[in-house]
């Protein structure tokens, strides 16, 4: 009974095989090349977003710590506002303070008496809108990280499947199962899988990290807004106690102002 001989790759043929990434890319099918290029660009964009969000979150945290020390230092509201306005970039927690201060001033324009329940709603709304706006800025790019983290492995898997299909096609065409025929297709397939993981793993890790950091920072802003409101109401109560009306003294640390109205 005759047996079909199986051809083996000669040492010369085996020595010509190139398995570094550059040659794998050049030898790959056009579809696999597009997959590799897309994943490489996705990986570069992922690291660009990671570095940018890391810088933004770190800056906001440090700025919040500096502002909290300034706020509780006993300086007047007017001095705090001037200190904030001297800076070119206003951090999120300072923006909350300015939003509450602006609403306070608008509420007492013309010497109007304060209606505490509606005043509280307006101040809370102003701070909440500003907080949501700043949180949205900090979350820029996170949707991209989530997308790459979930889709990256599947895009790499698509390249893998296509590379394996090419490998089997080469076997069928050449009727040869030697390493020289099978290896290039399998290698480019595995390269697509590896690059998909390279793009996806950092995206998932840093998406989770930044989501947790931003959620914690959002809680910090919420706590500060409560502290600020408590300070405002306490000053209003202290100032209104002697005269029992809306014109008197407001104290913030060592500052004395007209009741219901921050310093201008």
């Amino acid at each position: 009974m005759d047996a079909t001989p199986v051809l083996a790759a000669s040492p010369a043929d085996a020595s010509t095989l190139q398995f570094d990434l550059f040659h794998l890319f050049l030898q790959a099918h056009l579809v696999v090349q597009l997959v590799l290029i897309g994943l490489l660009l996705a990986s570069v964009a992922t690291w660009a977003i990671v570095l940018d969000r890391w810088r933004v979150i770190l800056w906001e945290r440090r700025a919040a710590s500096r502002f909290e020390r300034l706020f509780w230092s006993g300086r007047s509201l007017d001095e705090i506002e001037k200190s904030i306005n001297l800076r070119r970039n206003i951090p999120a927690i300072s923006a909350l303070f300015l939003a509450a201060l602006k609403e306070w001033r608008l509420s007492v324009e013309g010497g109007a008496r304060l209606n505490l329940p509606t005043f509280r709603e307006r101040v809370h709304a102003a701070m909440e809108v500003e907080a949501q706006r700043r949180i949205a800025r900090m979350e820029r790019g996170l949707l991209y990280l989530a997308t790459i983290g979930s889709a990256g492995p599947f895009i790499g898997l698509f390249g893998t499947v296509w590379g394996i299909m090419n490998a089997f096609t080469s076997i069928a065409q050449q009727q040869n199962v030697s390493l020289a025929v099978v290896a290039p297709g399998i290698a480019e397939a595995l390269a697509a899988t590896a690059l998909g993981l390279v793009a996806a793993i950092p995206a998932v890790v840093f998406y989770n990290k930044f989501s947790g950091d931003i959620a914690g920072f959002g809680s910090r802003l919420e706590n500060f807004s409560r502290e600020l409101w408590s300070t405002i109401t306490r000053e209003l109560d202290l100032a209104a106690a002697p005269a029992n009306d809306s014109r008197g003294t407001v104290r913030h640390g060592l500052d004395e102002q007209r009741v219901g109205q921050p310093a201008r």
Side-chain angles (χ1 to χ4, degrees):
M1 188 174 181
D2 295 337
T4 302
V6 177
L7 300 178
S10 65
D13 293 336
S15 63
T16 60
L17 295 177
Q18 299 289 339
F19 289 102
D20 59 273
L21 291 178
F22 179 72
H23 285 88
L24 285 177
F25 174 79
L26 294 180
Q27 297 168 6
H29 189 273
L30 177 61
V31 174
V32 180
Q33 288 181 342
L34 294 177
V35 170
L36 292 174
I37 292 174
L39 289 174
L40 181 61
L41 294 177
S43 180
V44 172
T46 294
W47 282 106
I49 292 174
V50 165
L51 295 177
D52 180 66
R53 292 303 90 188
W54 196 307
R55 177 187 60 82
V56 169
I57 294 174
L58 183 61
W59 181 79
E60 287 285 2
R61 282 178 167 178
R62 292 177 176 176
S65 298
R66 289 194 299 266
F67 177 80
E68 287 176 341
R69 289 194 297 268
L70 175 66
F71 183 78
W72 296 113
S73 65
R75 295 186 182 182
S76 68
L77 299 177
D78 189 35
E79 291 175 340
I80 295 175
E81 183 184 19
K82 289 179 180 179
S83 177
I84 294 173
N85 291 330
L86 289 176
R87 299 177 181 177
R88 182 174 58 180
N89 296 323
I90 299 178
I93 195 168
S94 301
L96 259 67
F97 172 80
L98 294 178
L101 204 62
K102 179 180 179 181
E103 184 57 41
W104 190 354
R105 285 174 173 163
L106 291 175
S107 299
V108 296
E109 280 186 348
R113 297 175 64 92
L114 282 178
N115 186 326
L116 196 58
T118 57
F119 174 58
R120 176 175 184 172
E121 291 180 4
R122 290 195 299 269
V123 170
H124 278 183
M127 290 191 293
E128 183 177 358
V129 168
E130 188 62 37
Q132 291 178 354
R133 184 182 297 116
R134 292 307 183 112
I135 291 297
R137 289 183 184 178
M138 295 176 67
E139 289 178 341
R140 288 176 183 172
L142 293 193
L143 181 59
Y144 173 84
L145 295 182
T147 302
I148 293 301
S150 60
F154 294 100
I155 296 174
L157 181 61
F158 171 75
T160 298
V161 172
W162 199 275
I164 293 176
M165 288 172 55
N166 287 335
F168 282 112
T169 301
S170 299
I171 293 174
Q173 291 176 347
Q174 301 184 29
Q175 298 182 353
N176 189 348
V177 294
S178 67
L179 182 63
V181 175
V182 178
I186 299 299
E188 69 185 44
L190 295 178
T193 300
L195 197 54
L197 294 176
V198 167
I201 291 175
V204 172
V205 170
F206 285 104
Y207 173 81
N208 292 331
K209 171 180 169 49
F210 293 152
S211 296
D213 291 343
I214 293 173
F217 189 77
S219 299
R220 185 175 185 177
L221 293 180
E222 184 178 355
N223 292 335
F224 173 76
S225 65
R226 293 175 180 174
E227 293 173 350
L228 179 58
W229 174 248
S230 298
T231 301
I232 292 174
T233 53
R234 182 167 56 250
E235 292 175 348
L236 291 174
D237 291 341
L238 290 174
N244 196 26
D245 65 11
S246 64
R247 312 289 290 182
T249 324
V250 174
R251 298 177 181 274
H252 175 74
L254 302 178
D255 183 42
E256 295 186 356
Q257 304 160 16
R258 290 160 55 187
V259 67
Q261 182 172 330
R264 295 182 182 270

